[in-house]
Amino acid sequence: MNPQNNSQLIGRISSTIRFSTASNGASVAFFDLAVPKISVSGQKKTEFFPVVCWRKVADKVKKECIKGQLVALTCSLSPLVKTMDKKRVTMVSIELQEISFLETKAAVLNRNKLKAQAKQSYTQKNGYEKNSIPASKSPEHHPVEQEPMDGEPIEIVSRIEVN
């Protein structure tokens, strides 16, 4: 990895990880990373960054990562130039080079299980039918279980060749 093109990001995997194999046989994985930020005015907000990874790193992500997991990423940035509506547009691609786990996959699965149990207990305690939420209650009172969807087929719309 080029030490001059090195970015560090810490956040949670915020989307279902999508896996595929490129035409050259290389494994590829895509996901979004949610990164907390405090704005100039002091308000908390979250920014979402699309991340791509290739080969061994993609295989590691497929084996050890899940939506909701807290991770630290070492990435490189690559410019992507596209023509859209007859205008030249430059975008940035975030390519994952190395991943560190700040939370295990098992911890995320356990947290999701506890949330599902709390939801079930809440609905039973309050006499609600499964999956019914009264209009007077806001969604934050009802934890949502997140399920990984490994192996979901995707279409690769653009490809970055990595040497």
Side-chain angles (χ1 to χ4, degrees):
M1 178 180 8
N2 181 352
Q4 296 174 347
N5 184 359
N6 185 334
S7 300
Q8 304 287 320
L9 294 171
I10 295 177
R12 291 196 182 275
I13 297 173
S14 64
S15 65
T16 299
I17 303 167
R18 300 164 314 275
F19 303 98
S20 188
T21 303
S23 58
N24 63 2
S27 300
V28 60
F30 303 90
F31 61 90
D32 293 328
L33 187 73
V35 179
K37 178 182 177 178
I38 298 178
S39 68
V40 177
S41 64
Q43 291 183 320
K44 291 182 182 180
K45 63 186 246 182
T46 303
E47 294 182 331
F48 297 87
F49 296 96
V51 178
V52 62
C53 52
W54 294 89
R55 297 176 181 77
K56 289 181 183 178
V57 179
D59 294 336
K60 183 176 182 178
V61 165
K62 182 176 185 175
K63 180 179 177 186
E64 300 182 35
C65 293
I66 188 172
K67 181 179 176 180
Q69 189 172 19
L70 185 63
V71 293
L73 308 182
T74 301
C75 307
S76 62
L77 305 177
S78 302
L80 294 174
V81 180
K82 294 185 176 186
T83 303
M84 299 171 74
D85 297 329
K86 298 182 182 181
K87 292 183 182 178
R88 189 173 176 205
V89 178
T90 303
M91 298 179 279
V92 175
S93 170
I94 299 174
E95 184 176 328
L96 178 60
Q97 301 297 323
E98 187 178 318
I99 187 166
S100 299
F101 305 105
L102 304 179
E103 180 178 47
T104 64
K105 185 176 182 177
V108 176
L109 290 170
N110 188 48
R111 183 176 63 237
N112 291 343
K113 181 179 177 182
L114 292 173
K115 284 181 180 181
Q117 288 172 349
K119 178 181 178 180
Q120 183 179 15
S121 174
Y122 179 85
T123 54
Q124 287 174 350
K125 178 182 170 186
N126 294 295
Y128 301 124
E129 292 180 27
K130 188 176 182 178
N131 295 327
S132 71
I133 300 173
S136 63
K137 299 288 183 182
S138 61
E140 63 267 10
H141 295 288
H142 303 277
V144 177
E145 184 175 2
Q146 299 172 350
E147 292 290 331
M149 296 177 65
D150 291 347
E152 179 179 70
I154 63 162
E155 177 183 336
I156 299 176
V157 269
S158 64
R159 181 175 38 237
I160 302 170
E161 293 296 327
V162 179
N163 297 331

